[in-house]
């Protein structure tokens, strides 16, 4: 069903056809804006972004720079299951797994790189993670760097806890801690 | 021997020295003001659109709200690749930016930016070329600027550039006619075609209190002049010469500082139009009720002033009026939408030209009746 909108353009009146009066009215509008902003620079809605951070709206906070959560014992929560790497539509995650020598039941990422220059900030990795190890809630907006290499996040740059973490709640966390406390029994 | 030579030719040597000083000072002031105008264009448009505008270019962390942007732009223009198309006419391609830049710069020689200053007993006229017919020279030189547009478009050997150049030439030639005819009324009233004489004539009072500026004698001519001048300047709403979405423009094949010269010429023309509007219609360097010896107010009181103070006030008034008109032209450029090309031509030949002729007729009739 095509909807047709009939536009009812009024024909120009004699004053409008002279054009000069309309020019003056247009100039009045723009000059009003000019002087209002000229004498009240602070009143403009512009935010000087990197220096002057602005709160992100709602769920946009969950689409910011990645981080890897850390357990209470300092080990990464990530178990190098490759779920995020598989889910990533932009192929920006690179993981190399390794085993704890004392605990062969659990792996850890020896290398965990996120190439932010490829990342599409879709949040699929967060959705895919079974361990709740990766999160995108740092509220930092990446970008604006002088070299491409600065857009490569390596493991050390990713490992970070927010205030109030590590939380000792949660099954995965508890089980892992119990494992380690038991000295990695088989 | 040198002393002898100086004795024999002191008057012409003094004249040459004074002219050289005036040229150097004025040229540098104009260039500096043009650079600031490129920033002002972006700042004014930003403020009109509730934005802040460029403020990032900084030296050692000091940005001064974008004051370094003209410098950054200049450096960028100079270090960009200077590209010449393989099929272009090399000589004309190189000459075209000069043809755009030189006539507009030469025009400043005719603009009186003050009355005169006495320096060590030597009367220094504040106008580079004191000519009795300078208005005709202004019109002639502004006609020369067409060559820059046309050579640039033609020498590029690019159909779009040629199309842009054709548009530009058609537009400039058409509006040249109106521009010249609007000024006939002023010449009839002031009885002279010398810009300095015109400004001096505007020092007379109208009805005993109103400053006798051209705009009070010829309000219609002022509107026509401003319209034609903006069209001559090829800026919005008459910027048909360039159109990013259709033909790009006559400078399409130009890059780096060659393009910069075209852009610079356009901004210098803004200053030129402002100065011409000031000189012809807003009393030039005249300050209302300020005479050689100081203020004489219409209500009888007087305020005697030093000669140098008077000269400084007059030159300052000229600068202030010029800055105001430059700002006004920027506001106009960012307010009005552009015309279609046929509307542009219709406006020129069917509206402005008859009005300009009518203005001459009415002026002549009134002058004859008053005689």
């Amino acid at each position: 069903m095509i909807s047709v909108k009939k536009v009812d353009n009024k024909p120009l009146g004699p004053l409008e056809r002279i054009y000069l009066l309309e020019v003056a009215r247009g100039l009045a509008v723009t000059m009003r804006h000019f002087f209002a902003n000229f004498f009240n620079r602070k009143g403009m809605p512009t935010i000087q972004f990197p220096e002057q951070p602005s709160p992100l709206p709602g769920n946009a906070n969950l689409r910011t720079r990645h981080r890897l959560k850390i357990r209470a014992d300092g080990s990464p929560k990530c178990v190098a299951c490759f779920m995020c790497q598989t889910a990533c539509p932009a192929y920006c995650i690179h993981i190399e797994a390794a085993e704890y020598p004392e605990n062969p039941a659990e792996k850890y990422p020896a290398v965990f790189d996120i190439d932010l220059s490829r990342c599409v900030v879709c949040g699929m990795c967060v959705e895919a993670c079974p361990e709740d190890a990766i999160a995108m809630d740092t509220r930092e907006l990446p970008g604006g760097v002088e070299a491409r290499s600065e857009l490569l996040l390596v493991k050390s740059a990713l490992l970070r806890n927010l205030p109030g973490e590590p939380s000792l709640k949660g099954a995965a966390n508890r089980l892992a801690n119990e494992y380690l406390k038991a000295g990695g029994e088989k | 021997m040198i002393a002898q030579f100086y004795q024999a030719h002191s008057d012409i040597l003094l004249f040459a020295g004074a002219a050289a000083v005036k040229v150097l000072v004025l040229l540098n002031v104009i260039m500096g003001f043009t650079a600031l105008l490129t920033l002002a264009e972006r700042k004014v448009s930003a403020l009109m659109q509730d934005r802040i505008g460029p403020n990032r270019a900084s030296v050692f962390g000091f940005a001064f709200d974008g004051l370094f942007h003209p410098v950054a732009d200049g450096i960028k223009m100079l270090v960009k690749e200077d590209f010449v198309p393989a099929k272009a006419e090399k000589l004309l391609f190189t000459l075209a930016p000069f043809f755009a830049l030189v006539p507009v710069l030469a025009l400043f020689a005719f603009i009186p930016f003050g009355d005169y200053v006495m320096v060590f007993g030597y009367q220094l006229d504040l106008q580079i070329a004191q000519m009795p017919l300078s208005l005709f020279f202004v019109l002639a030189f502004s006609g020369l600027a067409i060559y820059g547009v046309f050579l640039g478009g033609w020498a590029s050997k690019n159909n779009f550039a040629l199309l842009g150049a054709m548009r530009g030439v058609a537009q400039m030639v058409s509006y040249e006619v109106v521009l010249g005819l609007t000024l006939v009324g002023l010449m009839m009233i002031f009885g002279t075609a010398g810009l300095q004489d015109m400004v001096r004539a505007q020092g007379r009072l109208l009805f005993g209190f109103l400053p006798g500026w051209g705009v009070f004698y010829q309000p219609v001519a002022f509107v026509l002049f401003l319209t034609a001048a903006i069209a001559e300047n090829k800026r919005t709403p008459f910027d048909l010469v360039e159109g990013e979405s259709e033909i790009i423009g006559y400078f399409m094949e130009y890059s780096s500082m060659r393009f910069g010269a075209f852009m610079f010429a356009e901004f210098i023309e803004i200053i030129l139009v402002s100065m011409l509007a000031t000189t012809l219609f807003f009393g030039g360097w005249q300050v209302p009720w300020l005479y050689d010896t100081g203020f004489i107010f219409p209500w009888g009181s007087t305020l005697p002033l030093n000669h140098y103070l008077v000269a400084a006030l007059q030159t300052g008034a000229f600068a202030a009026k010029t800055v105001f008109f430059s700002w006004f032209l920027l506001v106009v450029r960012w307010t009005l939408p552009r015309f279609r090309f046929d509307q542009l031509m219709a406006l020129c030949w069917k509206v402005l030209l008859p009005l300009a002729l009518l203005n001459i007729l009415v002026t002549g009739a009134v002058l004859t009746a008053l005689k």
Side-chain angles (χ1 to χ4, degrees):
Chain A
M1 179 75 186
I2 300 168
S3 68
V4 177
K5 186 181 176 188
K6 287 228 172 79
V7 183
D8 185 25
N9 281 336
K10 274 183 281 180
L12 295 180
L15 270 180
E16 287 162 330
R17 287 182 72 95
I18 292 176
Y19 197 58
L20 269 180
L21 198 69
E22 298 298 305
V23 167
R25 277 180 56 196
L27 283 173
V29 170
T30 45
M31 281 188 193
R32 200 165 60 232
H33 276 261
F34 177 85
F35 284 116
N37 292 325
F38 188 77
F39 292 113
N40 182 19
R41 308 282 311 256
K42 297 274 186 294
M44 272 186 281
T46 311
I47 292 167
Q48 297 293 329
F49 170 61
E51 295 91 23
Q52 192 186 333
S54 76
L56 290 167
N59 284 341
N61 282 319
L62 301 178
R63 290 285 186 282
T64 48
R65 185 186 182 276
H66 310 73
R67 69 185 178 102
L68 287 176
K69 295 181 184 172
I70 309 171
R71 294 186 188 125
D73 61 359
S75 62
K77 225 167 157 181
C78 174
V79 296
C81 67
F82 289 80
M83 291 288 246
C84 51
Q85 187 176 341
T86 314
C88 182
Y91 307 111
C92 70
I93 303 179
H94 172 73
I95 304 172
E96 283 173 23
E99 285 180 354
Y100 291 108
E102 74 278 18
N103 177 17
E106 189 179 321
K107 289 188 290 181
Y108 73 95
V111 174
F112 197 109
D113 294 344
I114 295 181
D115 188 356
L116 284 180
S117 60
R118 298 196 67 159
C119 177
V120 293
V121 207
C122 62
M124 293 283 227
C125 46
V126 183
E127 301 276 334
C129 186
E131 295 287 317
D132 192 24
I134 191 168
M136 294 177 75
D137 54 1
T138 50
R139 302 187 181 210
E140 289 169 20
L141 292 178
V145 294
E146 286 176 1
R148 262 160 210 258
S149 56
E150 289 173 46
L151 284 172
L152 186 73
L153 294 181
V154 295
K155 186 177 141 191
S156 56
L158 282 166
L159 283 173
R160 183 195 301 185
N161 273 346
L162 292 185
E165 286 178 344
S167 161
L168 294 173
K169 290 173 190 160
N173 217 345
R174 197 192 71 233
L175 283 176
N177 286 333
E178 280 170 5
Y179 249 123
L180 286 176
K181 207 173 281 174
E185 78 184 297
K186 298 209 169 107
Chain B
M1 194 189 127
I2 292 170
Q4 241 175 10
F5 181 77
Y6 179 77
Q7 283 288 319
H9 305 286
S10 67
D11 51 342
I12 197 142
L13 280 177
L14 264 175
F15 175 76
V21 167
K22 278 186 281 185
V23 167
L24 275 179
V25 170
L26 192 65
L27 211 57
N28 279 306
V29 168
I30 299 292
M31 283 300 184
F33 188 46
T34 310
L36 285 179
L37 206 58
T38 58
L39 175 68
E41 160 126 309
R42 300 170 69 186
K43 278 286 186 190
V44 167
S45 67
L47 287 177
M48 281 164 54
Q49 298 163 357
D50 295 348
R51 294 183 289 114
I52 285 182
N55 61 352
R56 289 284 151 165
S58 61
V59 174
F60 302 120
F62 293 102
F64 295 118
D65 212 21
L67 201 59
F68 293 115
H69 273 270
V71 184
D73 283 342
I75 294 172
K76 183 198 79 175
M77 286 286 184
L78 284 171
V79 299
K80 271 182 124 172
E81 188 194 353
D82 182 18
F83 180 76
V84 181
K87 286 185 183 169
E89 293 270 344
K90 296 270 181 329
L91 179 68
L92 294 180
F93 189 82
T94 313
L95 270 181
F98 291 93
F99 267 101
L101 203 51
V102 170
V104 280
L105 279 179
L107 276 172
F108 286 104
F110 306 109
I111 308 262
F113 50 93
D115 196 354
Y116 66 91
V117 200
M118 299 302 287
V119 186
F120 304 121
Y122 179 78
Q123 183 177 333
L124 191 69
D125 286 295
L126 296 181
Q127 183 192 19
I128 293 171
Q130 297 99 329
M131 282 201 228
L133 293 174
S134 39
L135 191 55
F136 293 120
F137 276 90
V138 168
L139 293 172
F141 269 94
S142 66
L144 261 184
I146 296 174
Y147 284 97
V149 173
F150 193 66
L151 286 181
W154 187 77
S156 306
K157 290 284 155 68
N158 178 316
N159 289 343
F160 286 114
L162 187 61
L163 218 60
M166 296 302 282
R167 276 191 184 185
V169 171
Q171 174 179 337
M172 287 169 86
V173 167
S174 305
Y175 279 87
E176 195 91 348
V177 178
V178 179
L179 199 67
L181 284 177
T182 50
L183 302 180
V184 172
L186 280 180
M187 283 187 255
M188 288 160 77
I189 286 172
F190 296 128
T192 170
L195 288 176
Q196 185 70 288
D197 299 336
M198 274 192 176
V199 176
R200 292 212 173 105
Q202 291 180 59
R204 287 196 299 258
L205 290 185
L206 202 60
F207 310 125
F209 67 98
L210 204 63
W213 293 353
V215 68
F216 298 119
Y217 292 112
Q218 294 270 298
V220 179
F222 172 64
V223 175
L224 296 179
F225 171 81
L226 208 59
T227 316
I230 295 173
E232 211 30 38
N233 201 346
K234 308 184 289 294
R235 283 167 67 80
T236 325
F238 306 107
D239 66 335
L240 280 300
V241 179
E242 39 185 308
E244 285 80 4
S245 54
E246 9 160 344
I247 55 164
I248 302 177
Y250 60 92
F251 45 67
M252 184 179 179
E253 297 288 354
Y254 282 88
S255 61
S256 85
M257 206 56 210
R258 292 180 203 239
F259 168 75
F262 282 122
M263 204 188 71
F264 222 59
E266 192 182 302
F267 277 96
I268 295 174
E269 260 177 76
I270 299 175
I271 305 174
L272 189 75
V273 168
S274 313
M275 282 189 174
L276 274 180
T278 306
T279 306
L280 295 168
F281 291 98
F282 280 82
W285 40 261
Q286 298 278 6
V287 183
W289 313 310
L290 179 65
Y291 299 94
D292 263 356
T293 51
F295 281 105
I296 301 172
F297 294 109
W299 53 88
S301 59
T302 56
L303 179 69
L305 288 175
N306 182 341
H307 165 68
Y308 294 102
L309 201 59
V310 169
L313 263 178
Q314 288 175 336
T315 309
F318 180 72
K321 289 174 193 174
T322 306
V323 169
F324 170 78
F325 270 105
S326 305
W327 170 79
F328 184 74
L329 288 176
L330 293 187
V331 174
V332 168
R333 186 245 178 278
W334 287 97
T335 300
L336 301 179
R338 69 207 292 237
F339 284 90
R340 216 170 48 218
F341 198 69
D342 60 314
Q343 292 172 332
L344 176 87
M345 282 296 158
L347 180 72
C348 179
W349 294 107
K350 291 185 189 165
V351 181
L352 295 187
L353 188 66
L355 279 177
L357 289 172
L358 197 68
N359 184 48
I360 294 171
L361 188 73
V362 171
T363 309
V366 170
L367 280 179
T368 318
L370 286 180
K371 199 175 273 177

